[in-house]
């Protein structure tokens, strides 16, 4: 009996051993299959034969020379977009492509002359990309089309409060940007390992940019990039020359192709027309279809339905003959209903992203705790997290952790810059007290982390929402009697700069992680780019400010819609709702609630939700009109037809075509500004009149 039991045990043991051996064999097979697939899909194995330069060698003089010129180009583009509609698409593809093209051309020339000392690497390409995006980003976060220009007398005269203003001046703008733009960089540096390696946040824009740069530096990618640059150059030239051609017909207000009543004169009076803008056709090709459709739907709802109906209440809801730009009249409804929608959308997405952030953070910490639990005795050692990493991830992690940025340096840098800023800002804005600034700097790192984390999860940066949060809190704290309007706008600027640069830096760290660029070179490039932007962006704005005297007015070609919106938000935060026209507050409540409801429905209905318009995009034409939405939808239509005819070519070349259209029109602004500054007027006025008006003009001219 005992012998039988022993035999059974031996059989059981043999079976267990054999089963364990089979399982191990299967695991090894699965692992081998996985490694084979990784071998085929591996990016880093393509570059295995290339040495990764040290972080100092990634920061080359030619990289920063190219970055400077591209920063000027993109600052003009972002500034023009900022001062026209405020819709700014991602320009990362253009920056990466042009950076690759210019340095590749440079190195080829030196190679032929036997003067090339260092080859062009993807790490250097990443440095250029980071520097350009950091520099041109200041054109947005610097507030030239929003809070900063909203402080001016020009915008104050169009708002409900005319008393509190500070006119732009190149000196104080540059000083302001230098003391607030670097804090965000130091606030999130200690978290780079947690965000990129531990939490494995995707940062979709940073990841897409890295894949683009990696592809440029493969033989096939280099050939494609050459074709893309050639196409970009053609459409750049076409767009630039089209802008020059249009200029000849704009001798006075209301002249030229920009005032072409393509849909009829009645539609033109309600801002429905195609204005032949190459810039916004390009923007429409880059922006998702739903953004362009949302803007058009918002334009139809407001200028096609609501404003004509509210105008019928003139004399009842608001006084007669107040004019089209008075905030006590029809303009008040346009501006404040748009603000209500923007705030409703912003509040919903703030809560949504914050909830995602906190849940994601909780899950990451919980999973980390599970992973750090004691291993089971018979657990296969090969299944450890380190062993599960692919070759690419192991290589990237090794190099990402190699060049550390000391924590004391980041914390010390933040404290030092915050101290300088706290001492300096009250001299620039006396209304912004030192204790307001300290409170902002104590809260800002937390908000910067939330935005950077949320951006890593969703690719959605809520920079403007955090700025509006500062407007209402500081405005209410300061009050009207202590310059609350200017104090809240300045506080908005401080907050937006910190939060924006923090999320941008983390995106760049992700790009650097995927291209093996050192975190130190990324950080230095971001600092240099930010410093460039603190000088370039104010100078570009100054050209616009001096060249176009009607800048920021409703009928200008540069109406700066966000400036009036941000200023009136500050006034509401300080003074409340007492000065709004009749029934305006009720309509604001309705549209605020509608914005939240639309977003909620979008998220609840699943895939169908992608066809529901976005309230934030719908709100933009409420103030401006839908003319630019028609341009953007033309861009969408071109892309849609191209994708139907040849999707492969459309995917490869549409971003290059769009970038060419945007860059050509954007850079045309520089000579246009120079012509305006030197008083050179166009020779022809092309104007469109109704038949009756034309007959009256002919009769008048015949008599004289």
């Amino acid at each position: 009996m005992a012998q039988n039991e022993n035999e059974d045990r031996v059989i059981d043991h043999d079976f267990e051993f054999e089963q364990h051996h089979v399982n191990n064999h299967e695991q090894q097979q699965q692992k081998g299959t996985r490694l084979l697939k990784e071998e085929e899909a591996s990016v880093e194995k393509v570059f295995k034969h290339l040495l990764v330069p040290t972080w100092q060698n990634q920061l080359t003089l030619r990289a920063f020379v190219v970055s400077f010129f591209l920063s000027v180009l993109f600052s003009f583009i972002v500034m023009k977009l900022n001062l026209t509609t405020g819709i700014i698409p991602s320009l990362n593809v253009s920056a990466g492509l042009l950076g690759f093209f210019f340095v590749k051309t440079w190195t080829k020339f030196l190679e032929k002359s036997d003067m090339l000392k260092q080859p062009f690497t993807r790490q250097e390409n990443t440095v250029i990309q980071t520097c350009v995006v950091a520099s041109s980003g200041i054109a947005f976060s610097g507030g030239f089309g929003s809070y900063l220009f909203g402080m001016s007398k020009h915008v104050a005269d169009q708002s409900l409060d005319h008393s509190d203003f500070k006119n732009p001046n190149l000196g104080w703008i540059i000083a302001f940007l230098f003391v607030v733009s670097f804090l965000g960089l130091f606030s999130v540096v200690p978290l780079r390992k947690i965000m990129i390696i531990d939490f494995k946040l995707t940062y979709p824009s940073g990841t897409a940019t890295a894949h683009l740069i990696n592809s440029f530096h493969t033989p096939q990618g280099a050939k494609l990039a050459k074709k893309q640059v050639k196409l970009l150059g053609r459409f750049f030239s076409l767009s630039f020359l089209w802008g020059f051609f249009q200029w000849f017909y704009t001798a006075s207000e209301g002249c030229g192709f920009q005032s072409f009543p393509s849909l009829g004169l009645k539609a033109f009076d309600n801002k429905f027309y195609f204005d032949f803008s190459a810039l916004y056709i390009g923007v429409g090709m880059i922006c998702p279809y739903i953004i362009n459709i949302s803007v058009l739907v918002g334009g139809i709802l407001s200028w096609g339905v609501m404003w004509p109906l509210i105008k019928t209440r003139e004399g009842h809801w608001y006084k007669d003959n107040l004019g089209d730009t008075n905030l006590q009249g029809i303009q008040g409804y346009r501006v404040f209903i748009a603000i209500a929608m923007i705030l409703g959308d912003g509040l919903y997405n703030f809560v949504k992203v914050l909830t995602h952030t906190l849940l994601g953070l909780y899950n990451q910490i919980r999973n980390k705790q599970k992973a750090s639990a004691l291993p089971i005795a018979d657990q296969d050692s090969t299944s450890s997290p380190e062993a599960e990493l692919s070759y690419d991830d192991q290589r990237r992690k090794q190099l990402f952790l190699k060049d550390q940025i000391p924590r004391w340096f980041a914390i010390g840098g933040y404290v030092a810059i915050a101290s300088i800023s706290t001492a300096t800002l009250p001299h620039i804005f006396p209304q912004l007290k030192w204790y307001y600034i300290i409170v902002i700097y104590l809260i800002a790192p937390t908000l910067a982390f939330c935005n950077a984390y949320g951006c890593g999860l969703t690719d959605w940066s809520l920079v403007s929402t955090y700025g509006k949060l500062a407007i209402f809190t500081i405005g209410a704290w300061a009050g009207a009697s202590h310059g609350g309007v200017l104090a809240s706008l300045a506080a908005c600027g401080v907050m937006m700069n910190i939060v924006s640069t923090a999320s941008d830096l983390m995106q760049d760290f992700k790009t650097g992680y995927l291209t093996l660029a050192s975190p130190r070179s990324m950080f230095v490039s971001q600092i240099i780019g930010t410093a460039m932007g603190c000088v370039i962006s104010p100078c570009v704005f100054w050209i616009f400010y001096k060249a176009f005297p009607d800048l920021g007015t409703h009928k200008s070609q540069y109406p700066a819609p966000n400036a009036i919106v941000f200023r009136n938000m500050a006034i509401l935060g300080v003074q409340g709702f007492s000065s709004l026209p009749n029934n305006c507050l009720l309509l604001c409540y309705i549209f605020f609630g509608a914005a939240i409801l639309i977003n909620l429905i979008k998220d609840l209905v699943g895939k169908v939700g992608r066809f529901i318009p976005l309230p934030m995009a719908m709100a933009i034409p409420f103030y401006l009109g839908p003319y630019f939405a028609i341009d953007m939808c033309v861009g969408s239509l071109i892309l849609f037809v191209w994708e139907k005819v040849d999707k492969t070519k459309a995917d490869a070349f549409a971003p290059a075509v769009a970038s060419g259209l945007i860059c050509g029109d954007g850079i045309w602004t520089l000579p246009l500004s120079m012509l305006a500054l030197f008083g050179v007027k166009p020779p022809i006025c092309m104007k469109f009149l109704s038949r009756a008006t034309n007959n009256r003009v002919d009769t008048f001219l015949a008599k004289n």
Side-chain angles (χ1 to χ4, degrees):
M1 186 75 177
Q3 189 179 353
N4 288 339
E5 283 178 6
N6 286 335
E7 283 175 2
D8 287 343
R9 281 177 193 154
V10 169
I11 291 166
D12 287 345
H13 179 72
D14 287 344
F15 175 76
E16 284 171 11
F17 176 79
E18 201 166 309
Q19 185 69 32
H20 183 66
H21 180 72
V22 168
N23 287 344
N24 271 350
H25 182 65
E26 284 177 358
Q27 284 175 1
Q28 292 298 325
Q29 275 190 325
Q30 287 170 0
K31 190 177 176 185
T33 306
R34 180 171 58 80
L35 289 172
L36 193 63
K37 286 180 181 176
E38 284 170 6
E39 182 83 33
E40 290 170 1
S42 175
V43 173
E44 295 311 326
K45 283 185 175 160
V46 175
F47 300 102
K48 194 176 181 179
H49 63 288
L50 297 173
L51 283 173
V52 177
T54 62
W55 71 271
Q56 295 95 332
N57 288 336
Q58 293 171 24
L59 302 165
T60 62
L61 178 62
R62 69 189 177 203
F64 291 115
V65 171
V66 168
S67 297
F68 175 79
F69 287 107
L70 288 179
S71 295
V72 174
L73 168 65
F74 284 105
S75 293
F76 267 99
I77 294 166
V78 173
M79 196 67 69
K80 184 169 183 177
L81 292 166
N82 237 337
L83 295 172
T84 47
T85 63
I87 298 173
I88 302 168
S90 173
L91 299 170
N92 288 10
V93 172
S94 314
L97 188 61
L98 289 171
F100 173 80
F101 169 70
F102 285 125
V103 179
K104 199 72 178 172
T105 306
W106 184 331
T107 52
K108 271 193 176 180
F109 174 76
L110 291 177
E111 198 171 11
K112 286 177 183 177
S113 312
D114 292 325
M115 295 168 64
L116 183 64
K117 293 180 180 177
Q118 184 178 334
F120 181 42
T121 62
R122 57 194 174 124
Q123 290 79 26
E124 191 179 351
N125 205 159
T126 308
V127 164
I128 295 169
Q129 162 80 23
T130 300
C131 190
V132 173
V133 171
S135 180
S136 57
I138 300 293
F140 167 71
S141 62
F144 301 101
S146 55
Y147 65 85
L148 192 140
F149 189 44
M151 299 177 186
S152 66
K153 189 174 190 302
H154 217 151
V155 176
D157 288 341
Q158 302 173 65
S159 67
L160 297 170
D161 185 332
H162 314 281
S163 57
D164 219 6
F165 63 86
K166 185 178 181 69
N167 279 323
N169 178 282
L170 210 52
W172 73 255
I173 292 174
I174 292 173
F176 169 72
L177 291 175
F178 264 105
V179 294
V180 300
S181 296
F182 295 92
L183 278 153
L185 304 180
F186 289 91
S187 65
V188 292
V189 163
L191 304 172
R192 70 195 178 283
K193 179 183 175 291
I194 295 170
M195 306 280 248
I196 305 298
I197 293 176
D198 296 344
F199 290 171
K200 295 182 174 63
L201 296 176
T202 53
Y203 288 99
S205 292
T207 300
T209 305
H211 289 321
L212 187 77
I213 290 171
N214 282 334
S215 72
F216 286 162
H217 292 265
T218 61
Q220 299 87 349
K223 285 179 186 175
L224 179 62
K226 191 176 179 181
K227 291 177 184 175
Q228 288 172 327
V229 168
K230 196 177 284 187
L231 201 60
L232 189 152
R234 281 183 201 156
F235 280 89
F236 176 94
S237 305
L238 184 69
S239 179
F240 184 89
L241 292 171
W242 174 240
F244 182 46
F245 175 75
Q246 284 182 296
W247 173 79
F248 281 98
Y249 300 92
T250 55
S252 64
E253 188 182 331
C255 298
F257 287 92
Q258 296 95 326
S259 301
F260 193 108
S262 47
L263 301 174
L265 288 166
K266 188 66 180 173
F268 179 80
D269 291 339
N270 285 297
K271 307 276 186 179
F272 286 95
Y273 57 93
F274 176 59
D275 74 344
F276 298 89
S277 169
L279 179 77
Y280 280 101
I281 291 172
V283 170
M285 290 179 73
I286 288 178
C287 286
Y289 292 128
I290 191 60
I291 296 286
N292 302 330
I293 296 298
S294 299
V295 174
L296 185 61
V297 169
I300 293 168
L301 176 65
S302 55
W303 290 84
V305 179
M306 288 172 54
W307 308 154
L309 286 174
I310 290 174
K311 274 187 176 179
T312 63
R313 308 303 299 159
E314 187 176 4
H316 299 281
W317 286 12
Y318 58 94
K319 293 177 184 176
D320 290 322
N321 304 317
L322 286 175
D324 208 40
T325 59
N326 194 311
L327 283 173
Q328 299 292 338
I330 186 69
Q331 187 75 339
Y333 296 93
R334 292 171 184 160
V335 171
F336 289 106
I337 292 173
I339 289 172
M341 283 196 81
I342 290 167
L343 290 176
D345 186 274
L347 178 65
Y348 179 87
N349 283 297
F350 174 73
V351 172
K352 176 184 165 183
V353 173
L354 189 64
T355 305
H356 273 291
T357 301
L358 294 175
L359 285 173
L361 199 57
Y362 170 73
N363 289 330
Q364 293 282 4
I365 292 167
R366 192 178 64 177
N367 292 339
K368 201 170 175 62
Q369 285 172 344
K370 281 182 182 178
S372 62
L374 288 172
I376 301 165
D378 62 350
Q379 186 177 344
D380 184 9
S381 61
T382 59
S383 64
S384 66
E386 196 66 36
E388 287 295 317
L389 287 176
S390 66
Y391 173 82
D392 283 9
D393 286 337
Q394 287 180 26
R395 181 95 170 117
R396 287 163 181 167
K397 183 177 177 182
Q398 176 196 0
L399 286 164
F400 190 75
L401 297 177
K402 180 184 170 188
D403 296 323
Q404 294 291 326
I405 301 169
R407 188 164 293 183
W408 63 264
F409 175 77
I411 296 168
Y414 186 87
V415 171
I417 296 171
S419 303
I420 294 166
S421 182
T422 306
T424 307
L425 284 175
H427 292 285
I428 300 172
F429 304 106
Q431 300 87 348
L432 189 66
K433 306 300 181 187
W434 61 269
Y435 42 89
Y436 300 159
I437 303 166
I438 289 175
V439 169
I440 291 170
Y441 287 161
L442 289 173
I443 298 168
T446 306
L447 298 181
F449 165 75
C450 289
N451 192 53
Y453 189 93
C455 198
L457 286 174
T458 63
D459 208 30
W460 197 307
S461 179
L462 298 176
V463 172
S464 294
T465 305
Y466 288 108
K468 289 159 195 164
L469 188 68
I471 284 178
F472 286 108
T473 50
I474 300 298
W477 187 2
S481 58
H482 296 93
V485 173
L486 273 188
S488 61
L489 288 170
C492 170
V494 174
M495 185 64 79
M496 277 183 67
N497 275 283
I498 293 172
V499 173
S500 174
T501 51
S503 62
D504 286 350
L505 178 64
M506 208 52 74
Q507 288 270 20
D508 291 333
F509 276 147
K510 182 68 176 186
T511 305
Y513 171 77
L514 294 170
T515 58
L516 303 190
S518 167
R520 285 189 185 178
S521 67
M522 292 289 91
F523 185 69
V524 172
S525 179
Q526 185 90 16
I527 284 181
I528 292 171
T530 303
M532 282 183 188
C534 290
V535 177
I536 293 169
S537 291
C539 292
V540 170
F541 172 73
W542 200 246
I543 290 170
F544 278 88
Y545 187 67
K546 289 296 182 183
F548 305 104
D550 63 347
L551 184 74
T553 59
H554 185 60
K555 291 189 176 180
S556 168
Q557 67 181 110
Y558 300 109
N562 283 331
I564 190 84
V565 166
F566 271 65
R567 183 172 184 91
N568 282 294
M569 278 186 193
I571 292 167
L572 288 179
V574 172
Q575 298 179 1
F577 305 108
S578 57
S579 52
L580 297 181
N582 290 343
N583 296 304
C584 185
L585 184 59
L586 175 62
L587 289 169
C588 287
Y589 285 144
I590 291 168
F591 278 87
F592 179 86
I596 293 173
L597 185 63
I598 291 168
N599 275 305
L600 189 61
I601 292 168
K602 272 181 74 70
D603 287 339
L604 290 177
V605 296
K607 289 184 179 179
V608 182
R610 62 198 176 97
F611 298 108
I612 297 174
L614 295 159
M616 181 75 80
M618 287 173 66
I620 296 167
F622 273 46
Y623 169 66
L624 278 175
Y627 61 92
F628 66 92
I630 294 169
D631 297 335
M632 290 170 69
C633 285
V634 168
S636 277
L637 182 62
I638 292 167
L639 181 63
F640 180 77
V641 172
W642 194 356
E643 284 178 337
K644 288 293 178 187
V645 173
D646 190 338
K647 187 164 179 20
T648 307
K649 279 195 174 180
D651 290 343
F653 297 110
V657 170
S659 299
L661 291 171
I662 292 169
C663 294
D665 198 325
I667 207 66
W668 159 247
T669 312
L670 179 58
L672 178 65
S673 304
M674 294 297 106
L675 290 168
L677 283 171
F678 289 111
V680 179
K681 300 284 185 184
I684 305 166
C685 173
M686 183 173 73
K687 211 162 195 173
F688 299 88
L689 306 172
S690 67
R691 187 189 299 114
T693 306
N694 188 61
N695 289 337
R696 286 199 298 271
V697 170
D698 286 346
T699 305
F700 175 79
L701 291 173
K703 286 179 181 178
N704 293 280

